[in-house]
Structure formats: C-alpha cells, structure tokens
Amino acid sequence: MSNIGGGDGDEGERPVIQLYQLVMQEQEGEKPLKNATCERCLFWVEFKENTESEPEGECHRLPPQVTATGTVKDQHYGCSWPITGASDWCGEFEEAVRMN
C-alpha cells in the first residue's frame, strides 16, 4: 500500500483510516455522518456573543494560522483559527462529550 505522508506509515494513512471508520460506522448505524458537524466536534469553540441565525465558532483542530491584511507597503499580520458554522463539517471530526 502506498504511504501518502511518508515516514512509518501511521501519519499518512490516518485520515484515510478515519474516513473508512466513519463510513463503516454509518453503514452499521453507529454514528451517522450527517451528525458529524462542527457543532458536535471536540475541536469547535462556539462564539458566545453569536447574533447569526446559525451559530458560528472557531475550529481549534490545528494551531492558529498566520494571516496578512493591508497593502504591500502597509501589511498587518495576525493569527486566527478558521471560523466555521455549526452545520459545517470536515474529515477530522471527533465527537465531543458535552457536560451540561
């Protein structure tokens, strides 16, 4: 089997294995993919002062990314996490255990 990410085989195959597990779970009725949304994800942090019709938040799956704004002569740099809607999804979903 081809190793996409190089190394010892674990890093490059992990996303493929996770996707396979999600598909198998849906087929077996354990966890439907339609519920694998940002709102239910371990890495998602909802904005508390949300005024949108759909809640929004930040995805903290990876470190904040450097962003640049402004013109070529007057650049401003910052860091931020991707902003997503509650119903958005990706292939890195991990179910959050919420305590009320």
Short mmCIF file of all heavy atoms in Angstrom, two decimals, residues 2-26:
data_model
loop_
_atom_site.label_atom_id
_atom_site.label_comp_id
_atom_site.label_asym_id
_atom_site.label_seq_id
_atom_site.Cartn_x
_atom_site.Cartn_y
_atom_site.Cartn_z
N SER A 2 0.50 2.24 -0.74
CA SER A 2 1.27 3.48 -0.84
C SER A 2 1.09 4.32 0.41
O SER A 2 0.00 4.42 0.96
CB SER A 2 0.77 4.28 -2.06
OG SER A 2 1.29 5.56 -2.03
N ASN A 3 2.18 4.92 0.88
CA ASN A 3 2.13 5.77 2.05
C ASN A 3 2.14 7.21 1.60
O ASN A 3 3.15 7.72 1.12
CB ASN A 3 3.32 5.46 2.96
CG ASN A 3 3.23 6.23 4.25
OD1 ASN A 3 2.29 6.97 4.47
ND2 ASN A 3 4.20 6.04 5.11
N ILE A 4 1.04 7.91 1.76
CA ILE A 4 0.89 9.27 1.28
C ILE A 4 1.81 10.24 1.99
O ILE A 4 2.43 11.09 1.40
CB ILE A 4 -0.58 9.73 1.42
CG1 ILE A 4 -1.46 8.86 0.52
CG2 ILE A 4 -0.73 11.19 1.05
CD1 ILE A 4 -2.93 9.03 0.78
N GLY A 5 1.92 10.13 3.30
CA GLY A 5 2.67 11.12 4.07
C GLY A 5 4.11 10.77 4.33
O GLY A 5 4.81 11.52 4.98
N GLY A 6 4.58 9.63 3.88
CA GLY A 6 5.95 9.23 4.17
C GLY A 6 6.07 8.72 5.59
O GLY A 6 5.11 8.49 6.28
N GLY A 7 7.28 8.53 6.07
CA GLY A 7 7.50 8.11 7.44
C GLY A 7 7.19 6.64 7.64
O GLY A 7 7.35 5.82 6.75
N ASP A 8 6.68 6.31 8.84
CA ASP A 8 6.49 4.92 9.18
C ASP A 8 5.13 4.35 8.77
O ASP A 8 4.82 3.22 9.08
CB ASP A 8 6.68 4.72 10.69
CG ASP A 8 5.68 5.53 11.50
OD1 ASP A 8 4.85 6.23 10.91
OD2 ASP A 8 5.74 5.45 12.73
N GLY A 9 4.29 5.14 8.12
CA GLY A 9 3.02 4.63 7.64
C GLY A 9 1.83 5.10 8.45
O GLY A 9 0.73 5.17 7.95
N ASP A 10 2.01 5.45 9.70
CA ASP A 10 0.88 5.86 10.53
C ASP A 10 0.36 7.25 10.17
O ASP A 10 -0.83 7.47 10.08
CB ASP A 10 1.26 5.85 12.01
CG ASP A 10 1.47 4.44 12.53
OD1 ASP A 10 0.93 3.50 11.94
OD2 ASP A 10 2.19 4.30 13.52
N GLU A 11 1.25 8.21 9.96
CA GLU A 11 0.84 9.59 9.71
C GLU A 11 0.09 9.74 8.40
O GLU A 11 -0.94 10.38 8.34
CB GLU A 11 2.06 10.52 9.71
CG GLU A 11 2.73 10.59 11.05
CD GLU A 11 3.98 11.43 10.99
OE1 GLU A 11 3.84 12.64 11.12
OE2 GLU A 11 5.06 10.86 10.79
N GLY A 12 0.57 9.17 7.32
CA GLY A 12 -0.05 9.34 6.02
C GLY A 12 -1.36 8.59 5.87
O GLY A 12 -2.21 8.97 5.10
N GLU A 13 -1.56 7.52 6.61
CA GLU A 13 -2.75 6.71 6.47
C GLU A 13 -3.84 7.10 7.45
O GLU A 13 -4.98 6.69 7.29
CB GLU A 13 -2.39 5.24 6.66
CG GLU A 13 -1.49 4.72 5.56
CD GLU A 13 -1.09 3.27 5.76
OE1 GLU A 13 -1.67 2.61 6.62
OE2 GLU A 13 -0.19 2.83 5.05
N ARG A 14 -3.57 7.90 8.45
CA ARG A 14 -4.56 8.22 9.49
C ARG A 14 -5.84 8.82 8.93
O ARG A 14 -6.92 8.33 9.26
CB ARG A 14 -3.95 9.12 10.54
CG ARG A 14 -4.90 9.37 11.69
CD ARG A 14 -4.21 10.03 12.86
NE ARG A 14 -5.21 10.17 13.90
CZ ARG A 14 -5.42 11.28 14.57
NH1 ARG A 14 -4.68 12.33 14.34
NH2 ARG A 14 -6.35 11.34 15.48
N PRO A 15 -5.80 9.87 8.09
CA PRO A 15 -7.06 10.42 7.58
C PRO A 15 -7.87 9.39 6.78
O PRO A 15 -9.08 9.35 6.88
CB PRO A 15 -6.63 11.59 6.70
CG PRO A 15 -5.30 11.98 7.24
CD PRO A 15 -4.67 10.69 7.70
N VAL A 16 -7.21 8.55 6.01
CA VAL A 16 -7.89 7.53 5.23
C VAL A 16 -8.56 6.52 6.17
O VAL A 16 -9.71 6.14 5.98
CB VAL A 16 -6.92 6.83 4.26
CG1 VAL A 16 -7.60 5.67 3.56
CG2 VAL A 16 -6.36 7.82 3.27
N ILE A 17 -7.86 6.14 7.20
CA ILE A 17 -8.40 5.19 8.17
C ILE A 17 -9.60 5.80 8.90
O ILE A 17 -10.62 5.15 9.07
CB ILE A 17 -7.32 4.74 9.17
CG1 ILE A 17 -6.29 3.87 8.44
CG2 ILE A 17 -7.93 3.97 10.34
CD1 ILE A 17 -5.05 3.57 9.24
N GLN A 18 -9.49 7.07 9.30
CA GLN A 18 -10.60 7.72 9.99
C GLN A 18 -11.83 7.81 9.09
O GLN A 18 -12.95 7.58 9.54
CB GLN A 18 -10.20 9.11 10.46
CG GLN A 18 -9.25 9.09 11.64
CD GLN A 18 -8.77 10.47 12.04
OE1 GLN A 18 -8.75 11.39 11.23
NE2 GLN A 18 -8.40 10.61 13.29
N LEU A 19 -11.63 8.17 7.82
CA LEU A 19 -12.74 8.24 6.89
C LEU A 19 -13.38 6.87 6.71
O LEU A 19 -14.60 6.73 6.74
CB LEU A 19 -12.28 8.79 5.53
CG LEU A 19 -13.36 8.94 4.47
CD1 LEU A 19 -14.47 9.86 4.96
CD2 LEU A 19 -12.77 9.45 3.18
N TYR A 20 -12.57 5.85 6.59
CA TYR A 20 -13.08 4.48 6.47
C TYR A 20 -13.90 4.11 7.71
O TYR A 20 -14.99 3.54 7.60
CB TYR A 20 -11.92 3.49 6.30
CG TYR A 20 -12.34 2.06 6.31
CD1 TYR A 20 -12.95 1.47 5.22
CD2 TYR A 20 -12.16 1.28 7.46
CE1 TYR A 20 -13.36 0.14 5.24
CE2 TYR A 20 -12.55 -0.04 7.49
CZ TYR A 20 -13.15 -0.60 6.38
OH TYR A 20 -13.56 -1.91 6.41
N GLN A 21 -13.41 4.47 8.90
CA GLN A 21 -14.15 4.16 10.12
C GLN A 21 -15.49 4.88 10.16
O GLN A 21 -16.50 4.31 10.56
CB GLN A 21 -13.31 4.53 11.35
CG GLN A 21 -12.13 3.61 11.56
CD GLN A 21 -11.18 4.12 12.64
OE1 GLN A 21 -11.16 5.30 12.96
NE2 GLN A 21 -10.38 3.21 13.18
N LEU A 22 -15.53 6.15 9.73
CA LEU A 22 -16.78 6.89 9.70
C LEU A 22 -17.78 6.25 8.74
O LEU A 22 -18.96 6.11 9.05
CB LEU A 22 -16.55 8.35 9.30
CG LEU A 22 -15.94 9.25 10.36
CD1 LEU A 22 -15.59 10.60 9.76
CD2 LEU A 22 -16.89 9.42 11.52
N VAL A 23 -17.31 5.84 7.57
CA VAL A 23 -18.19 5.19 6.59
C VAL A 23 -18.71 3.88 7.15
O VAL A 23 -19.90 3.58 7.06
CB VAL A 23 -17.44 4.98 5.25
CG1 VAL A 23 -18.25 4.08 4.33
CG2 VAL A 23 -17.16 6.31 4.59
N MET A 24 -17.85 3.09 7.75
CA MET A 24 -18.27 1.80 8.31
C MET A 24 -19.26 2.00 9.46
O MET A 24 -20.24 1.27 9.57
CB MET A 24 -17.06 1.00 8.80
CG MET A 24 -16.14 0.54 7.67
SD MET A 24 -16.99 -0.34 6.35
CE MET A 24 -17.55 -1.80 7.22
N GLN A 25 -19.04 3.01 10.29
CA GLN A 25 -19.96 3.27 11.40
C GLN A 25 -21.33 3.67 10.88
O GLN A 25 -22.35 3.27 11.43
CB GLN A 25 -19.39 4.36 12.31
CG GLN A 25 -18.24 3.87 13.14
CD GLN A 25 -17.53 5.00 13.87
OE1 GLN A 25 -17.76 6.16 13.61
NE2 GLN A 25 -16.64 4.64 14.77
N GLU A 26 -21.37 4.49 9.81
CA GLU A 26 -22.65 4.88 9.25
C GLU A 26 -23.38 3.67 8.69
O GLU A 26 -24.58 3.50 8.90
CB GLU A 26 -22.49 5.94 8.17
CG GLU A 26 -23.86 6.35 7.62
CD GLU A 26 -23.79 7.45 6.60
OE1 GLU A 26 -22.68 7.77 6.15
OE2 GLU A 26 -24.84 7.97 6.23
#
